[in-house]
Structure formats: structure tokens, C-alpha cells
Amino acid sequence: MATIQEVAARAGVSKATVSRVLSGNGYVGQEKRERVLQAIAETDYRPNLLARNLATKSSQTIGLVITNTLYSGSYFTELMAHSARMMEQQGRQLILADGKHTAEQERAAIQFLLDLRCDGIIIYPRFLSIDALDAIISQHRQPILVINRRLRVNDSYCIYIDQHATSADAVSQLLARGHREIAFITGSLDSPTGMERLSGYQAALKDAKIALDPQRIVQGKWTAQSGMAAVDSLLARKVAFTAIVASNDEMAIGAIKRLTECGIAVPQQVSVLGFDDIPLAPYITPSLSSIKLPVTEMINETIGRLVTMLDGGEWRPRPPFNGSLILRDSVADGPGRRA
């Protein structure tokens, strides 16, 4: 592999001139620049990126940490795709690091990106606690922003959706349509998002002075299969329900399939509501009512704030984002309203 010294010798310039051409810093005449670029092409020179990053104090890269259990599904596809598009528009490279399955592995993924000298890092955490995230942010010079968690100390470094309030509002709208017996399919119970959506459901029932029936709560695993299994559990428990709220659209679609197979009409007998408003939601039968989350807006805010930090600008914390209910054919009025 060629060295910078060999490139300089071939071009008839100094190593410093080659470095200025590579970094884009400092003036180099057009004729010398062309000689350096030609020498680089002829020698197939590849610069030491880490050394260049140390010298320029910028890598033009942004790191993104997401655990691999979250890669599937339309929500995270949109999140990663939009992040990559925005980084391209900013002239930066997005580097994805896998947070794997534990808090320590998430921490290791963050350190990996720090060691690569990423200019900034975005984390969509699954396992690290709020206190641990606050500590990590406080300990490092590079800006580290957290998506979908509310931090206590570094509130300017978090961008999140109020999952609790969004869930409570959606359940309240079902209550207003005459549903009193509402079942709930949770996400994985080690998921902060899943727990907040469950707590919103519980809060809406409490505000409506409706007693919480634990038999109407079934644990899911974010998959369509677990939505089908949840309906089986509800029917086996012989508990009455006129509506089901599922913690994501995949489970809601599974629930609709099993209800239909069991001869239970949706929405005439049971209404079904999901979360995330995936692209498929309008196209199933019946079309799925869902809570649309502002993923694109959240990523715009995250990357915009990160770039502002890197450029030395000022920023302020903004209120949390909220989802909005998109009503389609899978939700109808409940017995209370029809009466």
C-alpha cells in the first residue's frame, strides 16, 4: 500500500501539500492539486482515516446506536432511512453500531463510535437506564443525543415522543366512542416504549373511572403472531371486550386475522386499534386504525439539533412530540354510543 511520502514524491510536492489536498484545508494551487490527485489515483493511495480525523478534529461522520432486536418493522425502517437521507444532505456519513442485547453491549457500541472519532452520536436505547445515559453524555466532549427517552439531567440532549400521553389520548377516544370493555396487547415488557403505552391505557381507564381488569391485558412480543396468540388468550379467559388496543400495528394485524378466523367481525363486534401507522395499515381488510407517530419530524429535530451543536450554535429543549389517531375501518362506535 502506498504511503503519503510516495504520493508526495510522485507529485513532486511536500507531504504537507498532499495533506492539504486531502483535508481541503489551506490553499493549494490548481496545478499542484491536479498533480497530487493524479499521484493518488496512480498509487491507489488510501489515507489513514483515523490519523486524518485526529489532525482535522472532524470525521464528517455521525454514529447511530440501535439494538438489533429493533431493526425489523416499518417504524425503525423509516427512522434509519430518514437518518441516512438527512446525513447525506449534510454531507456526512452515517455509521450504524449494534447495541445488541444488554446495557453493557449498548455502552460498548457507543464507545466503538467514540473510538472512531464520530463527530456526534445518536442513540435509540433499549437497555441503558436514564441515569446511565445522563452520565455518558456528561462524560464526553462529542454531543450524544438520545431518541425516545426523557433524560433528567441533560434534557437538551433528548428528543422523544410522549408515549404515555399518546396512548392515553387514543384510549380516551375509544371511550368517547362508547367502548367500555377495552383489551390491551402490550409490547415486550422490557421495552420502555411498551411500558409507557401500557401505562397510558391504564391512566385513561382510571380517568374515566373504569375499573382495570387485568384479564383484559395480554403480553405481546411486537409480532403479528403474538397478536394472534393474544386474541386466543382473551377468548380462553372468557373476558368480554368490544375493542382491542395493540401496542404496534403488527400485533393489531395479527389480532384482526385471529378474530376473523374465529368468526368475530371487525369492527362490528370488536374494534381494533394499533400503533405506528405502518404503510400497510390502509391496505389490509378492514383498513387499520392506528396512532401515527411523527418519526420524520423527530429525526429532523434530532439531526438538526446535533448539527447546530457541532457548528457551535445555540439550541433549546422543545416539548415532547405526540402521536395522532388515524381512524380507518377497523374502529366503529361501541355499545355505549350506539345505545
Side-chain angles (χ1 to χ4, degrees):
M1 182 179 293
T3 66
I4 192 171
Q5 181 64 58
E6 291 170 336
V7 172
R10 192 177 190 93
V13 299
S14 68
K15 288 197 302 182
T17 298
V18 177
S19 294
R20 285 197 295 273
V21 172
L22 290 170
S23 67
N25 295 323
Y27 174 75
V28 179
Q30 184 62 30
E31 189 269 336
K32 282 187 178 180
R33 180 181 300 277
E34 289 177 356
R35 289 194 345 240
V36 169
L37 293 175
Q38 183 177 351
I40 289 172
E42 291 173 350
T43 58
D44 198 27
Y45 172 69
R46 294 292 181 269
N48 185 320
L49 291 179
L50 182 57
R52 188 180 71 182
N53 294 348
L54 288 169
T56 63
K57 298 182 180 179
S58 175
S59 65
Q60 296 299 305
T61 61
I62 299 296
L64 174 63
V65 176
I66 303 181
T67 179
N68 62 39
T69 59
L70 301 178
Y71 288 174
S72 62
S74 297
Y75 174 87
F76 288 98
T77 298
E78 181 181 354
L79 186 151
M80 289 190 283
H82 193 65
S83 297
R85 285 194 298 269
M86 283 203 69
M87 286 296 98
E88 183 177 3
Q89 293 168 8
Q90 294 287 336
R92 300 174 187 268
Q93 183 66 255
L94 184 69
I95 299 178
L96 179 64
D98 184 6
K100 296 187 173 69
H101 309 292
T102 67
E104 284 309 307
Q105 288 172 324
E106 277 187 336
R107 189 187 297 273
I110 295 168
Q111 189 60 53
F112 169 75
L113 295 173
L114 290 168
D115 291 342
L116 287 179
R117 312 291 294 188
C118 288
D119 295 333
I121 296 172
I122 300 168
I123 313 170
Y124 197 110
R126 173 76 182 275
F127 304 106
L128 283 166
S129 68
I130 298 300
D131 290 342
L133 291 166
D134 268 323
I136 290 169
I137 292 168
S138 299
Q139 289 165 4
H140 294 94
R141 177 186 59 81
Q142 293 102 316
I144 300 174
L145 269 60
V146 174
I147 297 179
N148 210 35
R149 291 283 192 92
R150 184 175 184 177
L151 302 179
R152 284 187 279 267
V153 177
N154 297 287
D155 59 347
S156 294
Y157 290 76
C158 63
I159 298 89
Y160 63 98
I161 296 170
D162 192 334
Q163 303 281 358
H164 173 95
T166 295
S167 176
D169 179 67
V171 174
S172 295
Q173 291 191 56
L174 286 178
L175 292 167
R177 293 179 70 97
H179 293 280
R180 293 293 180 272
E181 298 169 333
I182 303 174
F184 192 88
I185 306 174
T186 75
S188 300
L189 296 183
D190 62 349
S191 162
T193 295
M195 293 304 296
E196 288 178 15
R197 290 176 181 178
L198 172 60
S199 70
Y201 159 78
Q202 294 168 326
L205 295 183
K206 183 177 180 180
D207 288 346
K209 297 181 171 53
I210 295 175
L212 178 68
D213 185 351
Q215 291 297 302
R216 292 196 178 103
I217 299 175
V218 185
Q219 182 177 349
K221 296 180 180 178
W222 303 117
T223 65
Q225 291 83 355
S226 69
M228 296 175 66
V231 169
D232 290 337
S233 295
L234 289 168
L235 296 176
R237 294 173 186 178
K238 301 187 183 302
V239 60
F241 57 95
T242 65
I244 295 176
V245 177
S247 288
N248 75 351
D249 287 345
E250 283 81 358
M251 293 191 296
I253 290 171
I256 289 174
K257 176 176 173 57
R258 180 61 86 219
L259 288 167
T260 302
E261 291 172 346
C262 293
I264 300 172
V266 178
Q268 292 83 356
Q269 292 174 272
V270 175
S271 292
V272 178
L273 173 64
F275 268 86
D276 300 338
D277 193 35
I278 64 175
L280 185 63
Y283 301 105
I284 70 167
T285 302
S287 58
L288 178 62
S289 297
S290 185
I291 298 153
K292 183 175 181 62
L293 302 178
V295 178
T296 298
E297 293 85 350
M298 188 169 63
I299 293 301
N300 286 343
E301 171 69 19
T302 302
I303 294 177
R305 191 181 305 184
L306 183 56
V307 171
T308 299
M309 291 178 175
L310 293 172
D311 291 344
E314 295 184 0
W315 69 94
R316 295 180 181 177
R318 60 147 288 150
F321 288 92
N322 287 287
S324 55
L325 178 60
I326 307 297
L327 284 172
R328 298 191 181 95
D329 296 339
S330 68
V331 168
D333 289 345
R337 193 165 179 177
R338 292 197 294 265

